[in-house]
């Protein structure tokens, strides 16, 4: 891992050295040439930046010194005389030597860096001698320091492209040949070698693909160390959070964005995140959060780097921009907030008045933007004062593999990026329900109504309403943006090579790219975020970075509980609370195994305990068995069913069951009594890590209060409590309505949580909570159980 | 101007595309429509594992009707995207016998936008097409 990075570092530095070699000579001839100066400045800046990853104090000191001197020249505080040029060249020579030694794994070359650095000083007296000495050293060492044989080679990407396109052609030719062979009839003497050819081709194709692709993790891996070092230098506390490390992109692309991302992270820690004392004073956690996420969206990758620091100071930015004559005061006055924040990307802009070792002098931002734009990407910044800053980097995947679901309408295929797909379902499934509100199609899925678009209407091909003859693809855009697209057919999930589309086609705003399937037919990839946005299904994409806790969905006072009906293997209908059903799977009968009363099933490479309700399940081989996957957020159970029913909302309370403890009660559905399985009993019996009900803390709820039994009970149960029945004398915790004094006085034991209808009457410290403060209630319950848990454990030990 | 021209028929007129700009002339196989794409974009097709955007030249000019299905279509590469041009017919490759010249009064509203100018060939004059302008399609109709 570290070796990889080191290799990258050496290779990159060498490449840059080669690139600026000419510039150095030109600069020497004409020290006032600003473009050359900038180029050399960027080189030493980058070397300094990269040293942050590694422990190379000498390189860092050298490059920092050169950078400081060049920065003075850039800001016209110093004239680039020949003495300075010589001193800079001497430092670059020394950097070359050290890098050479690192590459060869040898001892660092001897030499006094202090002397070189001192020579940079404006009042250094005699540099001529230094340089002469250096030059002599260079000649003598360059002969003995012949670079070691390379362990890897660098190839031009065009060559890889050519090989890749050649292999794709080979696949098409093979497919064509396969069709002809099929038509000609089977011939074993040809089939064998042909299969072998196909196998080899598949391998080669995979290898070629891998050659170019790299998980963005490769980039992420180096970040924690960087963050640690930078933040400890600055006495700040920073936590990094990554997501999307599995996103793959072009190796070359990763290299191109490595520097910009490094710059942005340094800047975020240096200028964004405040010192712990400042953060505490501002009411924030003392540890700053730095979140880095990557997401593939069509043929682009979006990287978001956000911090929850102080945000950008637009007043300071504006003032600085005017004083450095980037813009006039009049222009500034006319600018929007966003336009002002974007000034930080202007060349020659910097807000840091103090020179710091971490992010330098703001040189990064214009370089960052230049580098991103060079590869056809874009960078945007948004910032809220006091809440944080977010940088959005969009970069293209000129050639990228994306996992996609192929679907079709009206006989034509389209691809949907798998990353958006939550679930797929048959429109005719019992638990899917279509409805319309105005002209909008809705579909009821897992008990909630979500908007449903028909791909026909999106594309304008045979417009129609969503119906049960279609298939549904459930898509998730943001955290809460869920919608469905109905299609005629769902085909396959495959890895596709996405190519950009012609501008005229991109204009339509519903396609993100195109790809060729194995049979050579082109397929369009749908641009899901854009489609969602066009239909108003995307909430504001800008998440507020300061919001540390995920927002709880609002509790709506819907007067029902949703049950899922199913038929057990004894042929009788039963129901189970929908809140327990995590998903529905179909598994072959062979996946089940039973030993005595215990059963197990393998689903997606995990072994789940099987809950057995009734009826004989032994004769299942050769069949596809529907399985309800139940979860209590602690462990999972598989409940095989003979037949799936629909989901129903019930408004009446269950009639309690008298004797059967497996049954929570009986529900009246369509005039028929249906036993409702007690999910917690199931988990107690079959769950591997579930807590047996007897050990669970008991919570008493307000009696005869429909809101309490419908809304509170599931919440309390989910927090790990057993709901007190009327015959329970003891309750560990009692939840009471504030105006229900009777219950308050009859509470015999345990903690009391009071529910208020008026938010203003809730205290901050005691357990009185506003009716709709779901998170407050959950944390109060957790607090109680944590406290009692300790007591109980201590008591058990004595 | 000297150089080779690929001679095509568009909407019954003789037009020419500089041969240097033509990647190849192919027989179009199946064209897959692109729902909601501009009208002049007929669809996508494939050539040697590369996608082609198929453009109907008659519609791209803003003329009524659509191109007769010619057997062959010239393929051009604009900014890394491959376009197959649907024309009424692909004739032959001819040599330009004159410079590209303007004609007083222009070539007509629709043609003017996509024309480099006129050139003489052995078979008479032809309009030299600026393919980059052609594939941008007809200007949006102002409301």
């Amino acid at each position: 891992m570290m070796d990889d990075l080191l290799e990258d570092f050496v290779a990159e530095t060498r490449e840059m050295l080669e690139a600026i070699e000419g510039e150095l000579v030109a600069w020497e001839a004409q020290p006032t040439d600003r473009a050359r100066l900038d180029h050399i400045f960027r080189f030493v800046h980058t070397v300094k930046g990269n040293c942050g990853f590694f422990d190379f104090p000498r390189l860092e000191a050298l490059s920092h010194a050169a950078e400081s001197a060049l920065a003075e020249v850039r800001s016209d505080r110093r004239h680039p005389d020949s003495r300075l040029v010589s001193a800079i060249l001497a430092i670059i020579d020394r950097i070359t030597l050290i890098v050479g030694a690192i590459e060869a794994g040898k001892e660092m070359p001897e030499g006094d860096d202090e002397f070189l650095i001192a020579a940079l000083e404006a009042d250094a007296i005699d540099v001529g001698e230094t340089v002469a000495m250096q030059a002599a050293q260079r000649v003598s060492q360059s002969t003995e320091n012949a670079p070691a044989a390379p362990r890897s080679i660098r190839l031009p990407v065009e060559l890889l492209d050519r090989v890749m396109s050649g292999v794709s052609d080979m696949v098409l030719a093979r497919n064509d040949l396969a069709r002809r062979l099929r038509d000609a009839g089977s011939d074993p003497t040809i089939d064998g070698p042909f299969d072998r050819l196909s196998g080899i081709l598949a391998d080669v194709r995979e290898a070629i693909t891998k050659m170019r692709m790299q998980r963005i993790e490769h980039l992420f891996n180096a970040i924690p160390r960087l963050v640690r070092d930078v933040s400890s230098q600055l006495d700040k506390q920073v936590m990094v959070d990554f997501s999307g490390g599995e996103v793959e992109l072009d190796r070359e692309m990763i290299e191109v964005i490595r520097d910009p991302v490094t710059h942005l992270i340094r800047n975020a820690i240096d200028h964004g995140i405040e010192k712990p004392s400042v953060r505490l004073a501002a009411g924030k956690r003392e540890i700053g959060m730095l979140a880095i996420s990557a997401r593939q969206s069509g043929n682009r990758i979006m990287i978001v780097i956000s911090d929850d620091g102080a945000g950008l100071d637009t007043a300071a930015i504006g003032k600085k921009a005017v004083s450095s004559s980037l813009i006039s005061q009049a222009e500034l006055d006319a600018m929007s907030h966003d336009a002002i924040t974007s000034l930080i990307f202007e060349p020659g802009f910097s807000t840091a008045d103090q020179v710091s070792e971490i992010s330098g002098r703001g040189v990064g931002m214009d370089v960052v933007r230049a580098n991103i734009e060079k590869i056809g990407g874009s960078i945007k910044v948004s910032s809220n004062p006091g809440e944080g800053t977010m940088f959005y980097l969009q970069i293209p995947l000129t050639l990228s593999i994306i996992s996609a679901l192929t679907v079709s309408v009206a006989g034509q295929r389209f691809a949907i990026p798998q990353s958006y797909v939550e679930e797929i379902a048959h429109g005719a499934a019992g638990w899917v329900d279509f409805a319309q509100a105005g002209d909008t199609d809705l579909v009821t899925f897992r008990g909630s109504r979500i908007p449903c678009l028909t791909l026909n209407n999106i594309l304008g091909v045979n417009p129609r309403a969503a119906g049960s003859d279609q298939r549904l693809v459930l898509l998730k855009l943001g955290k809460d943006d869920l919608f469905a697209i109905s299609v005629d057919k769902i085909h396959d999930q495959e890895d596709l090579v996405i190519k950009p589309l012609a501008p005229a086609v991109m204009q339509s705003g519903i396609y993100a790219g195109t790809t060729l399937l194995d049979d050579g037919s082109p397929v369009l990839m749908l641009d899901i975020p854009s489609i969602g946005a066009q239909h108003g299904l995307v909430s504001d994409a800008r998440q507020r970075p300061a919001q540390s806790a995920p927002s709880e969905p609002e509790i709506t006072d819907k007067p029902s509980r949703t049950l899922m009906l199913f038929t057990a293997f004894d042929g009788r209908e039963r129901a189970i609370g929908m809140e327990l059903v995590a998903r529905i799977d179909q598994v072959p009968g062979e996946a089940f195994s039973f030993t005595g009363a215990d059963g197990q099933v393998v689903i997606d490479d995990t072994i789940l305990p099987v809950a057995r309700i009734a009826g004989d399940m032994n004769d299942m081989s050769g069949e596809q068995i529907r399985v309800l996957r139940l979860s209590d957020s602690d462990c999972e159970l598989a409940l095989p069913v003979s037949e799936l029913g629909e989901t129903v909302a019930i408004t009446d309370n269950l009639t309690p069951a008298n004797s059967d403890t497996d049954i929570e009660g009986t529900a009246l559905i369509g005039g028929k009594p249906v036993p409702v399985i007690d999910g917690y009993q199931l988990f107690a019996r079959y769950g591997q890590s579930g807590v047996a009900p007897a050990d669970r803390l008991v919570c008493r709820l307000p009696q005869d209060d429909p809101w309490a039994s419908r809304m509170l009970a599931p919440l309390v149960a989910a927090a790990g409590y057993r709901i007190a029945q009327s015959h329970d004398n003891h309750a560990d915790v009692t939840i009471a309505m504030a105006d229900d004094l009777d219950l308050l006085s009859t509470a015999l034991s345990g903690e009391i949580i009071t529910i208020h209808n008026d938010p203003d009457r809730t205290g901050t410290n005691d357990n009185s909570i506003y009716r709709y403060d779901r998170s407050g209630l959950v944390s109060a319950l957790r607090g109680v159980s944590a406290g009692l848990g300790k007591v109980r454990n201590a008591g058990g030990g004595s | 101007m000297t150089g080779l021209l690929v001679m095509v028929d568009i909407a019954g007129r003789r037009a020419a595309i500089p041969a240097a700009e033509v990647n190849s002339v192919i027989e179009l196989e199946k064209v897959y429509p692109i729902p909601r794409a501009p009208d002049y974009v007929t669809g996508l097709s494939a050539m040697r594992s590369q996608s082609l955007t198929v453009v109907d030249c008659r519609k791209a000019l803003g003329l009524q009707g659509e191109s007769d299905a010619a057997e062959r279509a010239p393929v051009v590469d604009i900014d890394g995207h491959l376009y197959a041009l649907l024309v009424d017919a692909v004739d032959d490759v001819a040599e330009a016998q004159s410079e590209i010249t303007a004609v007083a009064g222009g070539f007509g509203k629709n043609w003017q936008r996509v024309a480099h100018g006129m050139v003489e060939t052995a078979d008479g004059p032809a309009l030299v097409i600026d393919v980059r302008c052609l594939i941008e399609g007809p200007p949006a109709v102002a409301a």
Side-chain angles (χ1 to χ4, degrees):
Chain A
M1 167 59 222
M2 204 59 188
D3 281 351
D4 279 358
L5 282 178
L6 203 57
E7 245 174 69
D8 285 349
F9 168 69
V10 170
E12 189 192 354
T13 311
R14 275 209 175 285
E15 269 183 12
M16 282 191 300
L17 276 169
E18 277 165 28
I20 65 161
E21 206 146 25
E23 310 274 330
L24 284 174
V25 180
W27 186 54
E28 194 170 19
Q30 201 180 355
T32 49
D33 187 336
R34 179 66 187 224
R36 312 252 188 245
L37 172 69
D38 284 355
H39 211 125
I40 296 164
F41 180 61
R42 276 171 205 170
F43 166 72
V44 285
H45 185 76
T46 311
V47 171
K48 191 193 79 175
N50 285 347
C51 290
F53 292 120
F54 310 101
D55 191 23
F56 295 140
R58 285 181 64 188
L59 275 184
E60 196 165 350
L62 285 167
S63 48
H64 184 65
E67 189 196 10
S68 299
L70 289 173
E72 289 192 355
V73 177
R74 266 163 62 102
S75 60
D76 293 329
R77 285 197 295 266
R78 187 166 173 186
H79 180 72
D81 53 11
S82 63
R83 234 178 35 192
L84 176 72
V85 174
S86 306
I88 295 281
L89 294 185
I91 284 197
I92 290 175
D93 282 346
R94 179 59 60 85
I95 290 174
T96 313
L97 275 181
I98 295 178
V99 170
I102 293 170
E103 187 177 22
K106 287 190 192 156
E107 290 284 300
M108 290 284 170
E110 302 266 321
D112 186 2
D113 298 337
E114 295 300 321
F115 191 53
L116 290 179
I117 292 168
L120 282 171
E121 296 299 323
D123 51 358
I125 309 154
D126 192 7
V127 188
E129 207 175 309
T130 327
V131 177
M133 215 173 70
Q134 275 297 307
Q137 220 172 15
R138 180 166 42 155
V139 172
S140 67
Q141 294 205 358
S142 61
T143 43
E144 65 199 58
N145 267 10
R151 277 172 292 170
S152 59
I153 54 163
R154 302 198 141 212
L155 294 172
V157 173
E158 296 79 51
L159 183 61
L160 284 182
D161 276 346
R162 254 173 59 202
V163 176
M164 179 121 180
S165 130
V167 170
S168 299
D169 285 351
M170 264 156 78
V171 171
L172 295 179
R174 187 218 53 183
N175 293 345
D176 190 29
L177 186 58
R179 262 195 305 275
R180 282 162 207 259
L181 285 178
R182 259 201 316 276
D183 292 347
S186 170
D187 180 350
T189 58
I190 294 176
D191 288 355
F194 181 75
D195 285 349
R196 192 156 157 259
L197 177 73
S198 300
I200 296 168
L201 198 49
D203 285 350
V204 172
R205 195 187 192 198
E206 201 188 323
I208 300 273
T209 306
K210 277 193 188 145
M211 258 190 222
R212 289 190 54 107
M213 304 303 287
Q214 210 167 34
R215 286 159 84 101
I216 201 166
E217 245 167 26
H218 194 77
L219 176 67
F220 286 177
N221 282 340
I223 293 175
R225 172 71 201 275
L226 172 76
V227 170
R228 195 198 68 109
D229 291 352
V230 174
S231 54
S232 70
Q233 263 173 288
L234 292 165
D235 286 329
K236 293 178 180 177
Q237 294 181 33
V238 182
M239 221 160 78
V240 222
D241 180 49
F242 297 106
S243 63
E246 73 285 351
V247 169
E248 286 200 320
L249 73 164
D250 225 88
R251 202 173 282 254
E252 191 188 29
M253 212 58 96
I254 289 192
E255 291 315 314
V256 177
I257 63 170
R258 187 186 292 279
D259 280 349
V261 168
T262 307
H263 276 297
L264 290 175
I265 289 170
R266 285 169 171 273
N267 271 321
I269 302 172
D270 195 6
H271 304 311
I273 289 171
E274 313 92 326
K275 297 226 184 234
S277 55
V278 180
R279 292 183 61 87
L280 284 176
K284 298 182 186 179
R285 288 171 62 195
E286 56 184 325
I287 303 177
M289 275 299 293
L290 187 65
I292 297 150
S293 69
R295 172 150 202 173
Q296 188 162 354
S297 163
N299 58 349
R300 300 184 82 74
I301 295 226
M302 168 86 100
I303 298 174
V304 184
I305 299 173
S306 64
D307 66 68
D308 63 350
L312 294 172
D313 183 348
T314 44
I317 293 172
K319 215 172 117 197
K320 182 75 204 264
V322 172
S323 72
S324 52
S325 22
L326 274 176
I327 52 169
S328 69
Q329 184 66 42
E331 280 176 303
L332 175 67
D333 293 342
M335 280 172 108
S336 68
H337 178 89
D338 283 352
I340 297 173
T341 50
S342 299
L343 286 173
I344 59 169
F345 297 117
E346 292 302 316
F349 182 86
S350 160
T351 49
D353 292 328
Q354 288 176 327
V355 171
S356 88
E357 201 174 328
I358 304 307
S359 49
R361 297 152 194 89
V363 62
M365 283 307 173
D366 60 318
V367 179
V368 164
R369 186 171 72 173
N371 282 344
I372 298 286
E373 288 179 350
K374 206 164 62 192
I375 52 164
S378 68
I379 181 166
K380 274 190 286 187
V381 62
S382 84
S383 172
N384 290 323
E387 287 181 359
T389 310
M390 297 182 95
F391 286 96
Y392 301 85
L393 275 76
Q394 271 218 353
I395 48 169
L397 321 162
T398 43
L399 201 104
S400 174
I401 304 285
I402 190 168
S403 170
L405 194 68
T406 49
V407 301
S408 66
V409 284
Q412 192 176 357
R413 286 197 192 199
F414 297 90
I416 297 176
Q418 188 70 33
S419 58
Y420 297 110
V421 177
E422 275 289 289
E423 205 168 337
I424 56 179
H426 196 300
W431 39 280
V432 173
D433 189 26
F434 291 94
Q436 273 194 321
D439 287 334
T440 300
D441 283 316
L442 295 170
V443 61
T444 310
F445 219 81
R446 302 259 179 280
S448 60
R449 287 200 198 283
I450 57 173
C452 176
L453 306 175
T454 51
L455 191 52
N456 299 73
N457 296 355
I458 295 170
L459 302 173
V461 179
N462 309 338
R464 54 163 292 167
S468 57
D469 57 323
Q470 291 193 305
R471 307 290 186 278
L472 291 170
V473 183
L474 198 65
L475 300 165
K476 191 173 193 174
L477 278 177
K479 194 155 54 68
D480 300 318
D481 298 325
L482 208 59
F483 67 100
I485 284 186
S486 70
V487 300
D488 288 350
K489 272 185 194 154
I490 293 173
H491 299 275
D492 245 334
Q493 188 194 328
E494 26 193 332
D495 289 338
L496 303 174
V497 179
I498 301 299
K499 303 266 175 83
L501 278 164
V505 181
M506 288 300 275
Q507 274 170 21
S508 63
I510 42 180
Y511 306 112
T514 177
T515 186
L516 297 179
L517 294 183
D518 280 350
D519 64 1
S521 59
V523 164
L524 290 155
M525 164 92 73
L526 298 175
D527 187 344
I528 298 298
S530 166
I531 290 172
Q534 280 175 22
H535 292 80
L537 298 174
V538 185
S539 55
D540 190 6
R542 278 151 67 146
Q543 293 171 323
R544 292 158 67 92
Q547 223 168 36
S548 50
S551 59
E552 294 282 335
E554 264 182 59
I555 300 179
T556 49
D557 202 352
K558 60 175 181 189
S560 66
R561 176 179 175 202
T562 310
L563 297 176
M564 169 144 229
L565 298 180
F566 63 91
T567 310
F569 286 91
D570 61 358
R572 283 182 58 201
E573 195 165 51
R574 284 182 180 76
I576 190 160
M578 196 64 205
E579 67 275 2
L580 290 171
V581 180
R583 53 184 287 185
I584 296 163
D585 275 311
Q586 194 157 328
V587 293
E590 288 78 12
F592 288 90
S593 70
F594 291 97
T595 47
D598 293 329
Q600 278 153 356
V601 62
V602 180
I603 305 176
D604 296 342
D605 295 332
T606 41
I607 299 175
L608 296 179
V610 174
R612 305 172 76 176
I613 298 185
D616 186 11
M617 295 196 294
N618 292 329
D619 186 23
M620 295 206 280
S621 56
E623 286 179 56
Q624 289 286 323
I625 310 290
R626 291 273 192 186
V627 172
L628 301 183
R629 275 170 79 166
L630 309 179
S631 166
D632 67 349
S633 76
D634 190 21
C635 67
E636 264 195 88
L637 281 184
L639 175 62
V641 300
S642 161
E643 219 172 290
L644 268 185
E646 51 194 352
T647 54
V648 289
I650 54 163
T651 47
D652 297 322
N653 284 337
L654 301 181
T655 311
N658 293 330
S659 55
D660 193 343
T661 54
D662 290 351
I663 301 295
E664 192 183 332
T666 306
L668 199 60
I669 296 167
K672 281 190 302 181
V674 176
V676 179
I677 305 286
D678 185 341
Y680 294 100
Q681 281 287 348
L682 283 186
F683 278 101
R685 189 173 313 154
Y686 299 102
Q688 280 152 337
S689 60
V691 182
D695 293 337
R696 281 193 278 150
L697 296 174
V698 179
C699 177
R700 189 185 299 283
L701 296 182
Q703 301 287 309
D704 304 321
D705 182 331
W707 181 80
S709 52
R710 282 176 208 141
M711 297 309 301
L712 275 182
L715 204 69
V716 169
Y721 287 84
R722 181 167 69 82
I723 311 292
Q725 303 293 314
S726 52
H727 55 81
D728 276 316
N729 290 325
H730 167 83
D732 295 290
V733 56
T734 301
I735 297 181
M737 307 307 287
D739 45 7
D740 193 352
L741 294 171
D742 279 358
L743 189 70
L744 279 178
S745 60
T746 55
L748 300 172
S749 58
E751 298 272 334
I752 295 171
I753 295 174
T754 348
I755 305 279
H756 290 267
N757 284 327
D758 178 358
D760 295 333
R761 287 179 53 200
T762 56
T764 41
N765 292 322
D766 59 351
N767 280 335
S768 55
I769 285 158
Y770 175 49
R771 187 179 166 116
Y772 294 113
D773 182 6
R774 182 191 176 110
S775 52
L777 182 58
V778 169
S779 69
L781 285 168
R782 292 236 171 87
V784 170
S785 72
L788 287 175
K790 274 180 218 142
V791 173
R792 181 166 285 183
N793 287 343
S798 65
Chain B
M1 158 158 182
T2 52
L4 294 175
L5 300 166
V6 176
M7 304 303 297
V8 296
D9 285 1
I10 300 173
R13 312 291 161 84
R14 272 168 57 78
I17 304 167
E21 293 177 22
V22 177
N23 210 302
S24 54
V25 176
I26 61 160
E27 283 179 29
L28 265 188
E29 292 185 13
K30 193 171 173 185
V31 179
Y32 297 79
I34 307 175
R36 296 239 191 255
D39 188 44
Y40 71 94
V41 176
T42 309
L44 285 179
S45 190
M47 173 188 78
R48 294 197 301 274
S49 76
Q50 285 179 298
S51 286
L52 299 173
T53 307
V54 183
V55 168
D56 185 321
C57 290
R58 190 193 278 253
K59 288 182 180 172
L61 274 166
L63 301 173
Q64 294 295 315
E66 52 189 68
S67 299
D68 299 339
E71 275 178 17
R72 296 183 300 159
V75 173
V76 294
D77 182 338
I78 308 279
D79 297 332
H81 298 286
L82 291 174
Y83 297 86
L85 305 177
L86 282 187
V87 294
D88 292 341
V90 180
D91 297 337
D92 221 339
V93 176
E95 196 152 350
Q97 293 183 338
S98 74
E99 294 299 311
I100 296 179
T101 54
V103 169
F107 302 103
K109 193 169 71 105
N110 292 319
W111 292 94
Q112 188 67 39
R113 186 178 59 82
V114 302
H116 271 309
M118 193 193 73
V119 72
E120 291 292 342
T121 68
D123 298 328
L127 198 68
V128 181
I129 301 288
D130 181 342
V131 181
R132 186 179 289 273
C133 293
L134 182 74
I135 54 132
E136 278 172 11
V141 182

